[in-house]
Amino acid sequence: MKLQSSSDTRAERTMRSAESVAHDEGKTNLWRLGPRDVNNVAHSADASTMRPFISVAVPTFRRPDTIRRTIDSIVGQDFSNWELVVSDDEGSEGSSWPILEEYARKDPRIRILENHRGRGQVENTNNAMLACMGKWIKLLHDDDWLAPGALKRFAEISIRYPSAAFMTCAARVVEESRVVMRSDPPEQDRVSLYSSQQCLTDLYLVRMTRSLGIIPSTLLINSAVIQAGCRMRAHKSIPAGVDQLFFVDLARHGEMIAINEGLIFYDATRHPSITTTKSYEDVDEVTLAVKELNWDLIEDRNGLPTPETLLRALQVARIPARFRHQSWRTTMRDAMQILRPSVMRIANQYMLEYLFRIRPKLGALQTRRR
């Protein structure tokens, strides 16, 4: 299923024009366009409405220590056709507001607003996205930041796939003392197209999307999807799994593009966040609830493990990251799951899938000191 919009034909004409420019310069495709060429293409795609090509939506709450880094990474991009919408859940009385006002005075592309939809991650994120005017919406958390050239790269790929529902990219993970990243794979392995059903199945099985590290900050969303009613939402059985639920909801709306390049920096250092307050039991409960919802959306479930069986396999896979932070009794309980034939079968299938299909597409893992 493809997401269709009224600007598809105009975007396709623009894309052909861009390809002609690249050919005239002795180049082969859109990836070779320079910053000015990409800006021109992005501008002409929506020249009739003068809307920005990419809106960056940043929901923030009490992050004066990191919000400057986030905004500076946007202002410093080599792609200029953007707007920035920051929704502050604390409002004008908060410590971040003077910082946001300072940036808004300097750059007319920056808009700041208070969240009046209801406090919390869900409504603050929706408040930011609904205020965006761009054709594409780039979500970015207030403790993460864009890699140099990220918006230009997103623009290049969105011009090639104008009807995709959303895109996700690889993330460079910032830890206490190091940055974990991958080297860029060969060009042919950098951009992959998934149908809606392929994406739902991939999310369910925790495969390529999770290997890239899908999080809200890696997303670029077609604004038509948000206008069609897809929003971040809470669910009674998934109170702490709104991100995972949002990924599934996005996949229901059309094709996904996976970009195997580190276009954002994800701050995984030890600082207060929603993620760090969850226990492993909470994580497992949320995982099962999301898998059950995802399961109901997959049309061809032949050969797929049930949500309960898949959760057992994931508990085994997560032991290396968990065993130092939980009791030996819990670790042994999780490890015993591998004795189940159904769990062993999933482990074998995933190992083969990872070694022969996923791993060859991922660049070599690299680390650098902070």
Side-chain angles (χ1 to χ4, degrees):
M1 180 176 78
K2 284 189 176 182
L3 179 73
Q4 299 296 331
S5 67
S6 59
S7 62
D8 282 354
T9 302
R10 182 168 63 252
E12 288 171 2
R13 286 198 301 266
T14 302
M15 182 175 145
R16 285 195 293 269
S17 174
E19 288 172 333
S20 298
V21 171
H23 178 73
D24 291 343
E25 294 180 359
K27 299 172 183 176
T28 57
N29 54 44
L30 285 172
W31 317 132
R32 307 302 183 189
L33 294 174
R36 183 175 299 176
D37 296 320
V38 176
N39 280 328
N40 289 341
V41 170
H43 273 294
S44 63
D46 284 290
S48 61
T49 59
M50 298 301 292
R51 66 194 296 201
F53 193 69
I54 295 178
S55 293
V56 183
V58 177
T60 188
F61 179 68
R62 294 181 181 173
R63 285 277 171 75
D65 53 333
T66 62
I67 192 65
R68 285 187 184 276
R69 181 180 63 187
T70 300
I71 297 176
D72 286 342
S73 76
I74 300 162
V75 174
Q77 292 288 305
D78 59 355
F79 175 83
S80 62
N81 191 6
W82 55 263
E83 69 165 351
L84 168 60
V85 177
V86 184
S87 177
D88 194 332
D89 208 21
E90 194 175 15
S92 58
E93 300 302 318
S95 55
S96 297
W97 194 260
I99 299 173
L100 301 178
E101 285 186 317
E102 174 189 335
Y103 279 98
R105 283 193 299 268
K106 292 179 181 178
D107 195 322
R109 295 172 298 179
I110 299 175
R111 290 187 288 128
I112 59 175
L113 56 151
E114 297 184 51
N115 174 32
H116 297 297
R117 296 178 59 87
R119 286 291 180 90
Q121 177 193 4
V122 170
E123 292 303 344
N124 198 29
T125 301
N126 289 336
N127 195 50
M129 292 193 299
L130 289 170
C132 290
M133 297 186 294
K135 177 173 174 56
W136 294 89
I137 298 173
K138 176 73 196 81
L139 265 181
L140 190 63
H141 278 178
D142 58 358
D143 55 346
D144 301 331
W145 66 99
L146 296 175
L151 290 186
K152 176 193 167 190
R153 185 59 166 155
F154 275 119
E156 291 171 340
I157 298 172
S158 64
I159 291 167
R160 184 177 177 183
Y161 298 99
S163 62
F166 73 109
M167 303 181 190
T168 186
C169 68
R172 300 173 185 238
V173 181
V174 181
E175 298 177 347
E176 298 298 331
S177 60
R178 64 176 186 167
V179 179
V180 181
M181 52 192 174
R182 299 191 193 97
S183 59
D184 288 338
E187 188 73 37
Q188 65 268 21
D189 292 331
R190 294 188 188 181
V191 180
S192 302
L193 173 67
Y194 290 74
S195 69
S196 174
Q197 280 295 308
Q198 287 172 331
C199 184
L200 286 168
T201 303
D202 193 87
L203 285 168
Y204 179 76
L205 293 174
V206 198
R207 293 197 167 165
M208 179 58 84
T209 45
R210 282 297 175 185
S211 294
L212 290 178
I214 184 172
I215 54 174
S217 287
T218 64
L219 297 177
L220 181 75
I221 306 167
N222 196 318
S223 63
V225 171
I226 304 301
Q227 294 162 9
C230 182
R231 315 275 163 76
M232 187 171 281
R233 63 187 175 106
H235 189 280
K236 59 183 180 181
S237 62
I238 315 174
V242 294
D243 292 350
Q244 295 181 52
L245 181 57
F246 189 44
F247 305 149
V248 172
D249 285 344
L250 287 170
R252 297 172 62 186
H253 279 76
E255 295 174 334
M256 179 195 76
I257 307 299
I259 307 168
N260 191 4
E261 297 176 28
L263 301 182
I264 71 110
F265 286 89
Y266 167 58
D267 190 342
T269 57
R270 290 188 292 271
H271 62 287
S273 70
I274 293 174
T275 302
T276 57
T277 60
K278 289 191 242 179
S279 69
Y280 293 136
E281 290 78 11
D282 291 337
V283 170
D284 290 343
E285 183 179 342
V286 164
T287 297
L288 180 59
V290 173
K291 295 307 176 191
E292 289 173 340
L293 285 172
N294 198 342
W295 171 264
D296 290 337
L297 296 171
I298 297 173
E299 296 171 359
D300 183 6
R301 298 195 288 265
N302 184 38
L304 294 182
T306 64
E308 293 80 4
T309 302
L310 184 58
L311 175 62
R312 294 188 184 105
L314 290 173
Q315 287 172 328
V316 174
R318 291 166 175 169
I319 287 175
R322 293 183 173 185
F323 79 94
R324 290 189 179 91
H325 310 286
Q326 63 185 13
S327 68
W328 279 103
R329 184 174 183 177
T330 301
T331 298
M332 291 302 297
R333 181 203 65 192
D334 292 344
M336 293 296 289
Q337 303 285 354
I338 199 67
L339 299 178
R340 295 174 180 262
S342 58
V343 173
M344 179 65 77
R345 185 163 55 251
I346 296 172
N348 289 336
Q349 289 173 347
Y350 182 78
M351 183 175 296
L352 292 173
E353 175 82 2
Y354 184 81
L355 289 177
F356 294 103
R357 190 180 75 87
I358 297 176
R359 178 65 258 177
K361 290 185 177 181
L362 300 176
L365 198 65
Q366 299 178 333
T367 63
R368 74 168 190 235
R369 291 185 178 274
R370 289 191 63 190

